[in-house]
């Protein structure tokens, strides 16, 4: 799969120059190799319930190396290093080198590499790679979403009856836990079950693949969901924030699903929102 970015007259980017997803696979190889060498994993605490390992940093370094070799002028925004400003700030790579660090540390094989390419504030490419299952989820704006070259479409459910929803807990801001439980209590009246797997990027990809019917979470960052967001939308789903707006990359809460499912999720969770999220 390829994407191309070149500047034409008028300042608009269009597909032109070949880009392959080698950065995600290279980072995934770093993660998978270290996953098998658990004694070499060094874990540090960045904040409350927030961890980083030497493998996060090695994965990030591998991605940055690939990008800088081919696109030295592009800006890179990563979870661990922050913003690495390039001379061309119109093109931004938004990276989570290991989404699901806690799973990785615990030896739970569910984590991913997430890379999004944004051009002039719009996501053009999304890549999420699960190195354990060797599943590469990709999307190019206007060209659809794929899993290992197989086209993805969201499960087009008409309501929440029997639905399985993915979610995440606001473990870094525990004051929002009561809100989370109220939302789940409201939803469980209709849905069949919940899944809390620990990787926002994969949660979104699973919506696109029809493995879950919807997803909602408070406490996410742009690098967690920027790639998965495009993958869901290119698979025919809708992504909003809790207020049905499009500020989820900034405000830190997100909902995704097929159109009717998303509408019903919002109707259930919006009455549960605390005042500072309304």
């Amino acid at each position: 799969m390829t994407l191309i970015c070149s500047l034409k007259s008028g300042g608009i980017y269009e597909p032109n120059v070949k880009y392959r997803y080698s950065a995600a696979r290279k980072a995934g190889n770093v993660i998978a190799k270290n996953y098998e060498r658990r004694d070499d994993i060094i874990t540090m605490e960045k904040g409350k319930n927030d961890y980083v390992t030497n493998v996060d940093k090695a994965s990030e370094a591998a991605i940055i190396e690939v990008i800088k070799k081919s696109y030295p002028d592009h800006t890179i925004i990563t979870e661990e290093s922050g913003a690495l400003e390039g001379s061309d700030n119109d093109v931004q790579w938004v990276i989570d080198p290991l989404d699901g660090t806690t799973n990785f540390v615990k030896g739970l094989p569910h984590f991913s590499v997430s890379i999004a390419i944004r051009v002039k504030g719009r996501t053009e490419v999304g890549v999420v790679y699960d190195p354990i299952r060797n599943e590469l989820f990709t999307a190019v704006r206007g060209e659809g979403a794929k899993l290992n070259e197989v086209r993805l479409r969201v499960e087009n459910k008409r309501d929440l009856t029997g639905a399985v929803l993915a979610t995440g807990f606001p473990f870094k801001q525990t004051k929002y836990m009561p809100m989370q439980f109220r939302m789940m209590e409201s939803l469980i009246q209709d849905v069949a079950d919940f899944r809390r797997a620990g990787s926002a990027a994969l949660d979104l990809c699973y919506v696109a693949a029809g493995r879950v019917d919807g997803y909602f979470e408070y406490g996410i960052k742009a690098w967690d969901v920027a790639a998965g967001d495009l993958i869901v939308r290119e698979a025919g789903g809708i992504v909003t924030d809790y207020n049905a707006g499009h500020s989820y990359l900034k405000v830190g809460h997100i909902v995704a699903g097929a159109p009717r499912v998303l509408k019903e999720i919002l109707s259930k969770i919006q009455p549960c929102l605390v005042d500072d999220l309304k």
Side-chain angles (χ1 to χ4, degrees):
M1 187 174 230
T2 61
L3 167 73
I4 316 219
C5 287
S6 79
L7 190 61
K8 66 178 183 180
S9 62
I12 298 174
Y13 285 82
E14 61 179 2
N16 258 338
V17 176
K18 187 178 289 187
Y19 164 73
R20 299 188 182 276
Y21 299 110
S22 58
R25 288 195 180 276
K26 184 173 182 179
N29 290 339
V30 170
I31 294 168
K33 183 182 299 183
N34 283 277
Y35 184 72
E36 298 173 356
R37 302 173 180 173
R38 309 207 55 75
D39 291 342
D40 294 332
I41 298 173
I42 301 171
T43 304
M44 296 148 280
E45 190 171 13
K46 295 190 292 184
K48 182 180 180 181
N49 300 323
D50 190 11
Y51 302 95
V52 63
T53 72
N54 56 324
V55 181
D56 293 70
K57 295 181 178 181
S59 173
E60 181 177 278
I63 296 169
I64 292 173
E65 181 183 13
V66 172
I67 297 170
K68 287 296 185 184
K69 184 176 180 179
S70 299
Y71 306 106
D73 297 332
H74 290 183
T75 292
I76 304 171
I77 300 171
T78 75
E79 178 176 9
E80 307 308 334
S81 298
L84 305 176
E85 295 285 350
S87 59
D88 185 356
N89 198 44
D90 284 340
V91 184
Q92 298 179 334
W93 297 64
V94 183
I95 298 165
D96 191 339
L98 178 48
D99 184 50
T101 297
T102 299
N103 285 350
F104 179 80
V105 170
K106 292 293 187 181
L108 182 64
H110 188 81
F111 38 79
S112 60
V113 179
S114 177
I115 303 174
I117 304 175
R118 290 173 58 78
V119 180
K120 293 184 178 292
R122 184 167 62 182
T123 305
E124 297 285 346
V125 180
V127 184
V128 176
Y129 181 50
D130 177 346
I132 299 301
R133 298 176 182 85
N134 192 29
E135 291 188 332
L136 183 71
F137 298 88
T138 59
V140 176
R141 189 177 65 83
E143 297 183 15
K146 294 182 179 181
L147 166 55
N148 294 343
E149 297 305 317
V150 176
R151 186 70 178 264
L152 294 178
R153 296 297 297 176
V154 298
E155 182 71 25
N156 194 25
K157 285 181 65 64
R158 294 182 175 273
D159 54 44
L160 288 177
T161 304
V164 175
L165 302 183
T167 190
F169 295 155
F171 58 91
K172 297 177 187 177
Q173 295 176 277
T174 53
K175 70 177 183 178
Y176 292 110
M177 278 294 194
M179 179 189 72
Q180 173 75 22
F181 295 142
R182 287 195 300 271
M183 291 191 297
M184 295 175 71
E185 184 178 14
S186 177
L187 286 160
I188 199 60
Q189 298 174 38
D190 295 301
V191 306
D193 208 346
F194 296 101
R195 296 290 182 268
R196 194 273 186 264
S199 170
L202 287 177
D203 285 339
L204 286 164
C205 291
Y206 283 15
V207 172
R211 295 175 180 177
V212 295
D213 300 299
Y215 162 66
F216 67 101
E217 183 169 358
Y218 176 80
I220 51 93
K221 299 292 186 181
W223 46 74
D224 298 321
V225 298
D229 158 40
L230 182 66
I231 291 168
V232 170
R233 290 188 287 110
E234 286 294 325
I238 296 178
V239 184
T240 73
D241 56 39
Y242 282 178
N243 297 302
H246 299 288
S247 300
Y248 42 86
L249 295 183
K250 297 179 180 179
V251 297
H253 44 81
I254 191 169
V255 186
R260 294 188 182 184
V261 168
L262 182 134
K263 183 178 180 180
E264 290 205 16
I265 294 173
L266 289 173
S267 72
K268 291 286 188 177
I269 68 174
Q270 285 178 342
C272 305
L273 297 181
V274 295
D275 288 342
D276 60 339
L277 297 185
K278 293 179 180 178

